[in-house]
Amino acid sequence: MTPPETSTVWMHDGETMQVWPGRNYPLGATWSSESTNFAVYAPEAHALWVCLFDEDGTETRHRLTEQALGVWHGAIPDVSPGTRYGYRADGPWDPEAGLRFNPAKLLLDPYGKAVSGELVVDDAIFGYDPSDPETISDLDSAPYVPRSVVVYDDFQWGGDTHPRRRWRDTVIYEMHVKGMTALHDRVPEHLRGTYAGLATPAVTDYLRDLGVTAVELLPVHQFFSEPALAERGLVNYWGYNSMCFFAPHNAYSSAGDRGQQVTEFKQMVKDFHAAGLEVILDVVYNHTAEAGPRGPTLSFRGLDDRGYYQRVVPPAPEPGQDPEPVSYWDVTGCGNTVDSTHTQSLRLILDSLRYWVTEMHVDGFRFDLMSAITRTNQVVDMGSHLLTAIGQDPVLRHVKLVAEPWDASMDGYRVGQFPPPWVEWNDQFRDTVRDFWRGHSSGVRTVATRLAGSSDLYADDGRSPYASVNFVTAHDGFTLRDLVSYNDKHNEANGEDNRDGTDNNRSWNCGVEGETDDPEVIALRRRQAANLMATLCFSSGVPMLTAGDERGRTQGGNNNAYGQDNETSWIDWRPDDAWLDVYEITKTALRLRREHPALRQRHWFEGRPTIKGGIKDLVWVHPAGHEMTVDDWNDDSIRTIGMFLNGAPLRSPGPRGEQVRDRSFMIWLNSGVDDVELVLPANQWVHHGEVVLSTNPDVAVGTPVVAGATMTLQARSVLVLRQT
């Protein structure tokens, strides 16, 4: 058989070998039994090499001679899966113009499916001379940077399918791959902190028993620690410093980093699906680990700096003045902002998303700092290229899409503005609920709005209550236990003199700062934590829990533990310090939500009967037993509210259009410092009920109640009554 036309090139050791022309698609390294095709976008490079590394780390360079549509490409025979490789690109050095080519720097493949090795901080990883940033560096970075890996994976998915659970039936559990199992005594030691460990029955059974339906994994795209963080002896634990948008983070693999991480990740997803759990990825497309202009050169910067990153061009200087330098435009707080309006950057993001859905079988994405990549001409644009492309994409438009609807700028805050099918993290729910339970709310007006799905944010553009992803805590900030144990942040371990992290915690320590042996304070804290959890679970929208909150996980008051890859951040699974009462309240609330469609409705409440002659679908009740009046809503002193949910029938029909009937519920919240005498409204529809959830120590679950009777609701407590 006659081989294809070949190009002969000289390698660094003087030998010759064949590089076939190959093709410019698909991008990345594509293995076949005959050859591996390499294709990389670098339109302004003058020369480009594929650099292969053998088992001893010896580098062999192969120059690509073909370029089409800005893509350098070539096929190299006899390159096996597991081979480590990188690119070197030569071209102009003009940093101000966005041209930072430097053949001394080994570059990761933007489309690489796996990464081997770690990043070592050294002067060689920077494209410039640290003593003179305008001068190109001739130090070889290869000994200090990780390499991409040629991957061929024939994983057998069998009958695996996406659960495709409806948003109104979804309960999200935000977790860290390593932190979930690093201390888990029922996970085999060699699997702790890995994808395989996360998929063990010890984890999946726990989540199902708790009532979770979806896990949201903190970033799993390959990421690296910032050099400044590494110099302080810390690491980027959370992972919001991505570099390779197709590669599962190699440190979470128990089997190896030469492509084994891909197989292990797929098996984890398959196991989650078998347990009925969806997998949502927290993705960071808004910036990369190359940071600002003084950051390292690892991939994009060395291939097409001005294509991948947004730049600010200053106005023309006045006569006699020196021009201001062109700089990176940064609305991420991380040094750079990916330019999603650039064709190749947009293609990269979309190709990455489709890859994780079609090849890795994930069920959705939560987009970090979404406003940063929805900008046109640097202005937030809800009709942007990215939003439009995702909205019409036949693969992506049907997965779960969650926006963090802000970035690091003032104009980036866009809660309530993202178009369908997007749902959003609702920080206004978080702030309102925190303020209510710490006694800092002005009456109950805003609290009621948040409980009912935040119609002020989402109803005006045709979205449903589930457009609001409700949360009280997240990875960023206090844990639930710390929220009721600390008034102030305690971030000294981060090495920034406690300057990092927010001061706007909206927390209350219940009278003592930090841990205490005082039984009354401990009891109050646990009740407050249970109140917050119950409020979250019974509110309209999609509840999101933070891993370990239901057990009383603490970070010792650290509200910015992004660099703490240690027991500060890991979940402690020992039972001796677990807040099991909070766990039971959470589990009960999620069970009630799951069993009763009245507690997870997809339509907005209208405050009118669902059928002629019936009762209103939602009634707000004053503790004196009457429906809230205008004067009541304007009374800033009120700290108690009753929420009656009518279940007979619901406004939403069943799957065949049938009328759905459920029990009716009355939910009472009292954030005040005093006990309140409740009058249960007398009415012609609901006569008897029972207590199904209580954080009130004096009222037990199962206690019968009668319409028209009175009962005491203790200070700072929740009571849920169900019609019998």
Side-chain angles (χ1 to χ4, degrees):
M1 179 177 177
T2 304
E5 179 184 352
T6 63
S7 299
T8 301
V9 298
W10 288 95
M11 301 183 295
H12 76 288
D13 59 1
E15 298 177 1
T16 62
M17 76 163 296
Q18 294 175 330
V19 178
W20 302 340
R23 59 190 186 277
N24 70 343
Y25 181 82
L27 293 170
T30 305
W31 179 85
S32 72
S33 59
E34 186 178 50
S35 65
T36 296
N37 189 81
F38 295 90
V40 59
Y41 183 79
E44 297 184 86
H46 293 171
L48 201 138
W49 294 264
V50 175
C51 306
L52 304 180
F53 293 84
D54 64 18
E55 293 303 318
D56 296 327
T58 301
E59 176 183 354
T60 304
R61 302 179 189 177
H62 311 283
R63 184 167 181 170
L64 301 181
T65 60
E66 303 295 325
Q67 187 194 46
L69 304 177
V71 177
W72 292 83
H73 56 93
I76 302 175
D78 301 321
V79 176
S80 60
T83 299
R84 295 167 297 167
Y85 72 97
Y87 297 117
R88 295 181 186 269
D90 199 3
W93 174 260
D94 187 354
E96 187 172 330
L99 302 171
R100 294 174 177 266
F101 295 101
N102 186 339
K105 308 306 165 185
L106 185 71
L107 307 175
L108 288 161
D109 187 347
Y111 276 73
K113 303 300 191 300
V115 173
S116 176
E118 300 177 350
L119 177 65
V120 178
V121 178
D122 186 88
D123 285 351
I125 69 175
F126 301 98
Y128 57 89
D129 183 342
S131 63
D132 181 8
E134 300 304 316
T135 301
I136 192 170
S137 165
D138 61 0
L139 298 176
D140 185 4
S141 69
Y144 308 101
V145 297
R147 291 88 192 265
S148 297
V149 179
V150 176
V151 172
Y152 176 73
D153 181 78
D154 59 351
F155 184 79
Q156 300 301 306
W157 285 102
D160 180 76
T161 58
H162 295 283
R164 298 199 183 280
R165 196 180 301 272
R166 294 172 299 188
W167 267 123
R168 66 178 180 271
D169 300 330
T170 298
V171 177
I172 298 174
Y173 193 82
E174 187 198 40
M175 68 162 70
H176 188 281
V177 171
K178 182 175 183 180
M180 188 69 181
T181 63
L183 298 176
H184 206 307
D185 58 341
R186 294 189 301 282
V187 172
E189 188 170 357
H190 69 286
L191 298 182
R192 294 175 190 171
T194 69
Y195 303 120
L198 202 60
T200 57
V203 176
T204 56
D205 289 352
Y206 174 85
L207 296 174
R208 285 197 303 174
D209 188 56
L210 179 62
V212 169
T213 71
V215 297
E216 181 176 300
L217 303 181
L218 265 66
V220 297
H221 290 170
Q222 185 70 44
F223 62 85
F224 304 110
S225 296
E226 298 86 341
L229 193 62
E231 290 172 357
R232 298 204 305 271
L234 300 174
V235 299
N236 191 314
Y237 169 70
W238 288 347
Y240 291 91
N241 208 39
S242 302
M243 194 69 254
C244 302
F245 298 142
F246 293 80
H249 188 59
N250 56 21
Y252 298 155
S253 172
S254 67
D257 69 355
R258 302 286 286 274
Q260 297 95 333
Q261 60 265 55
V262 177
T263 303
E264 186 169 331
F265 185 93
K266 290 180 177 180
Q267 186 62 53
M268 177 197 72
V269 172
K270 186 176 180 180
D271 291 340
F272 271 120
H273 286 174
L277 299 167
E278 292 183 297
V279 179
I280 299 171
L281 302 187
D282 194 334
V283 290
V284 187
Y285 294 111
N286 59 79
H287 74 277
T288 77
E290 290 183 313
R294 298 295 178 261
T297 294
L298 303 174
S299 181
F300 303 108
R301 175 170 286 144
L303 294 168
D304 186 21
D305 184 65
R306 67 181 174 189
Y308 283 112
Y309 298 127
Q310 294 207 39
R311 302 168 66 79
V312 177
V313 179
E318 297 292 333
Q321 292 183 339
D322 293 331
E324 296 181 25
V326 177
S327 61
Y328 280 19
W329 188 64
D330 178 16
V331 290
T332 65
C334 300
N336 64 56
T337 302
V338 171
D339 186 359
S340 64
T341 67
H342 185 267
T343 299
Q344 180 56 32
S345 299
L346 178 62
R347 175 184 175 185
L348 174 75
I349 294 172
L350 294 171
D351 285 349
S352 168
L353 291 169
R354 281 189 291 264
Y355 172 79
W356 287 96
V357 174
T358 59
E359 296 296 324
M360 308 296 262
H361 283 211
V362 304
D363 304 287
F365 307 94
R366 178 267 186 188
F367 288 73
D368 179 66
L369 300 182
M370 186 64 182
S371 294
I373 48 174
T374 59
R375 292 174 178 266
T376 302
N377 296 325
Q378 302 179 349
V379 176
V380 177
D381 178 10
M382 293 303 153
S384 66
H385 299 329
L386 181 61
L387 289 176
T388 300
I390 291 175
Q392 62 78 45
D393 189 282
V395 173
L396 301 179
R397 68 190 181 207
H398 297 298
V399 304
K400 285 184 162 64
L401 299 169
V402 185
E404 183 181 39
W406 53 78
D407 55 27
S409 70
M410 294 296 293
D411 67 315
Y413 185 80
R414 298 305 172 105
V415 174
Q417 298 182 28
F418 277 76
W422 291 85
V423 305
E424 302 173 8
W425 270 26
N426 185 355
D427 65 330
Q428 294 188 33
F429 177 93
R430 175 199 65 196
D431 293 350
T432 299
V433 170
R434 287 188 181 191
D435 282 347
F436 175 72
W437 283 111
R438 71 187 181 116
H440 282 243
S441 62
S442 299
V444 293
R445 295 183 303 277
T446 307
V447 176
T449 301
R450 301 292 162 250
L451 290 171
S454 297
S455 59
D456 58 330
L457 299 175
Y458 303 108
D460 60 344
D461 56 3
R463 288 193 286 173
S464 299
Y466 58 70
S468 175
V469 175
N470 299 327
F471 64 104
V472 174
T473 66
H475 65 276
D476 189 1
F478 278 153
T479 66
L480 184 64
R481 178 169 178 164
D482 291 353
L483 189 68
V484 297
S485 302
Y486 295 89
N487 283 350
D488 304 303
K489 65 186 182 185
H490 297 268
N491 298 355
E492 290 79 8
N494 296 349
E496 299 182 42
D497 297 324
N498 208 35
R499 294 189 302 267
D500 63 306
T502 182
D503 293 313
N504 184 27
N505 295 297
R506 299 175 188 260
S507 60
W508 177 49
N509 63 17
C510 297
V512 178
E513 185 73 359
E515 295 298 317
T516 179
D517 295 328
D518 188 323
E520 292 186 3
V521 173
I522 294 173
L524 176 57
R525 288 176 176 177
R526 291 189 174 200
R527 190 161 74 249
Q528 285 286 82
N531 293 336
L532 288 159
M533 275 294 199
T535 305
L536 172 64
C537 295
F538 290 123
S539 295
S540 290
V542 180
M544 185 188 80
L545 286 63
T546 304
D549 272 357
E550 75 283 359
R551 301 177 55 84
R553 183 176 75 90
T554 178
Q555 293 178 169
N558 193 323
N559 74 353
N560 190 33
Y562 74 104
Q564 300 296 326
D565 186 7
N566 49 50
E567 294 188 11
T568 297
S569 299
W570 304 339
I571 296 178
D572 185 352
W573 290 94
R574 295 174 300 179
D576 53 337
D577 195 40
W579 285 11
L580 297 181
D581 48 349
V582 178
Y583 170 84
E584 291 298 335
I585 288 289
T586 306
K587 180 178 176 180
T588 298
L590 292 178
R591 176 181 56 79
L592 290 169
R593 181 186 179 95
R594 179 174 65 253
E595 293 176 350
H596 292 282
L599 298 174
R600 46 180 172 82
Q601 301 188 42
R602 69 182 178 92
H603 282 108
W604 293 106
F605 296 111
E606 298 182 13
R608 61 182 181 87
T610 55
I611 57 174
K612 185 177 181 180
I615 195 171
K616 295 179 180 179
D617 56 356
L618 171 65
V619 181
W620 297 106
V621 184
H622 188 278
H626 61 261
E627 187 171 354
M628 292 283 287
T629 66
V630 172
D631 288 341
D632 293 331
W633 288 121
N634 290 322
D635 186 349
D636 290 349
S637 67
I638 292 181
R639 294 289 182 269
T640 306
I641 184 73
M643 183 181 187
F644 175 81
L645 300 171
N646 178 26
L650 303 183
R651 194 169 299 283
S652 301
R656 293 179 173 84
E658 72 276 16
Q659 192 177 78
V660 177
R661 290 181 173 270
D662 192 13
R663 310 273 190 93
S664 295
F665 283 82
M666 174 68 81
I667 301 170
W668 287 102
L669 310 176
N670 178 19
S671 67
V673 298
D674 298 317
D675 296 354
V676 175
E677 195 74 7
L678 299 178
V679 177
L680 304 181
N683 63 90
Q684 60 177 307
W685 297 280
V686 179
H687 302 292
H688 298 86
E690 63 177 339
V691 175
V692 291
L693 183 143
S694 173
T695 67
N696 187 338
D698 297 331
V699 180
V701 170
T703 300
V705 295
V706 179
T710 63
M711 64 187 308
T712 300
L713 180 61
Q714 190 173 355
R716 300 189 177 103
S717 63
V718 172
L719 204 59
V720 180
L721 313 178
R722 180 177 60 188
Q723 175 189 9
T724 53

